[in-house]
Amino acid sequence: MRTPLLRSAAKPLRRKLVGALGAVLLAAAVLTGGTPTALAAASTATASAPPDGDTVASPPGANDWSCRPRAAHPNPVVLVHGTFANRYENWLVLSPLLKSLGYCVFALDYGTVPGITSSGSGLLLPIGGLGPAAESAAQLGRFVDLVRTYTGAAKVDIVGHSQGGMLPNYYVKFLGGAAKVDKLIGLAPSNHGTTLSGIANLAPYLPGVADLIYDACPACRDQVVDSAFNRKLASVPDTVPGVRYTVISTVFDEVVTPYRTQFLSGQGVDNITVQDSCPVDLAEHVLIAVDPTALHHVVNALDPAHATWVGCG
């Protein structure tokens, strides 16, 4: 249940969201040009690589391992990217936003396959989220333990996009994460698998093509409806007592389909569709990770005691 506050109460957050989005658009333009400024930014980001040995650049605001949570935000926030993504590209907007609000923010890469890279940011960063989902969930568990060790926090809050919103649920259910996670927030999470708007249903008729894709991306197979991984995920209730869940979805999702399969059932769940707050919001599966309305819901879910009214932004 959201606390309905005056529209003016949301203005400071909205300014931060707009500012963060503007910054990432500017950064994207600079990085694409491959200028010295871009190379300097890349060097600075890489220098903040976490002590787990990950060399992918951290998004702005993330992986300051000297950060200690304050009373206002006692739980560090762990950001988990989606399939075919990495921490830098996925969290260019949310990471600096949360940092500006006083959170200790951490982001990992998982499920990378050597030799497969992305030029999406102009930095030739590795594509992640490809490996078997169960192995990636275990990798997330190790990262959470690292964050808890460095910060001294008993629990973390997790925000994940797409596969990154589903993996923490597996971690919570089967890998001991329930004792270490306070809030789990998924942006367009593949909680119950996907038909990819029906495309996944064609896989049995195209075995050669499907096998080629699934060999390179085991996580893609794991996220298809009725996969062995999804059957295990569904073998126990959607939620675990003690964890607060928020699912934020968009009616225009073309990847995790039907979009309502993202929602969870059980106690302590808040299922949100961004168009209920902003009917003209056109964010789809990828853009929901930078969408001002969706990210406003994320901020509210992390700090429900100070939630503000969410409109279009």
Side-chain angles (χ1 to χ4, degrees):
M1 200 70 175
R2 295 295 172 198
T3 306
L5 301 180
L6 295 176
R7 183 187 301 252
S8 59
K11 287 183 178 178
L13 174 59
R14 190 167 300 147
R15 284 196 293 269
K16 288 180 180 289
L17 285 165
V18 172
L21 185 57
V24 71
L25 291 175
L26 177 60
V30 172
L31 291 171
T32 301
T35 64
T37 301
L39 296 176
S43 177
T44 300
T46 304
S48 63
D52 64 353
D54 197 337
T55 58
V56 174
S58 296
N63 297 332
D64 173 6
W65 295 89
S66 66
C67 187
R68 298 295 177 266
R70 300 176 182 176
H73 304 302
N75 296 333
V77 179
V78 174
L79 304 179
V80 190
H81 65 74
T83 312
F84 300 120
N86 57 62
R87 67 182 181 189
Y88 184 83
E89 295 171 336
N90 215 143
W91 303 118
L92 274 170
V93 175
L94 183 59
S95 177
L97 171 64
L98 295 180
K99 185 68 172 181
S100 73
L101 295 174
Y103 289 91
C104 290
V105 184
F106 298 90
L108 80 156
D109 276 300
Y110 67 90
T112 56
V113 175
I116 300 179
T117 60
S118 165
S119 59
S121 70
L123 297 178
L124 295 178
L125 297 179
I127 291 174
L130 303 180
E135 294 180 11
S136 294
Q139 189 175 349
L140 168 62
R142 292 190 293 272
F143 190 83
V144 167
D145 286 342
L146 191 68
V147 169
R148 292 172 60 243
T149 296
Y150 268 77
T151 62
K155 292 188 175 184
V156 302
D157 294 334
I158 296 179
V159 181
H161 176 221
S162 191
Q163 181 188 176
M166 172 274 292
L167 280 179
N169 202 8
Y170 186 94
Y171 164 60
V172 165
K173 287 182 178 182
F174 301 110
L175 301 178
K180 304 171 184 178
V181 176
D182 186 20
K183 304 180 194 72
L184 172 52
I185 302 164
L187 289 160
S190 51
N191 282 324
H192 300 104
T194 176
T195 68
L196 284 175
S197 297
I199 295 175
N201 293 331
L202 295 176
Y205 303 98
L206 302 168
V209 175
D211 289 345
L212 182 64
I213 295 172
Y214 294 153
D215 285 347
C217 179
C220 296
R221 183 196 302 271
D222 289 338
Q223 291 177 88
V224 171
V225 169
D226 203 37
S227 68
F229 178 85
N230 263 284
R231 289 195 297 272
K232 180 174 181 179
L233 200 60
S235 67
V236 295
D238 274 357
T239 61
V240 175
V243 179
R244 176 70 193 184
Y245 298 82
T246 303
V247 177
I248 303 168
S249 303
T250 170
V251 300
F252 298 113
D253 199 311
E254 76 286 19
V255 176
V256 180
T257 55
Y259 82 92
R260 288 188 175 276
T261 62
Q262 299 169 19
F263 294 157
L264 296 172
S265 300
Q267 295 183 344
V269 177
D270 196 359
N271 292 312
I272 298 169
T273 304
V274 294
Q275 284 76 22
D276 288 344
S277 299
C278 181
V280 297
D281 194 310
L282 300 179
E284 41 68 75
H285 184 79
V286 174
L287 291 180
I288 196 171
V290 298
D291 179 66
T293 301
L295 298 191
H296 194 155
H297 279 299
V298 169
V299 172
N300 279 356
L302 287 171
D303 190 5
H306 298 95
T308 58
W309 178 83
V310 181
C312 293

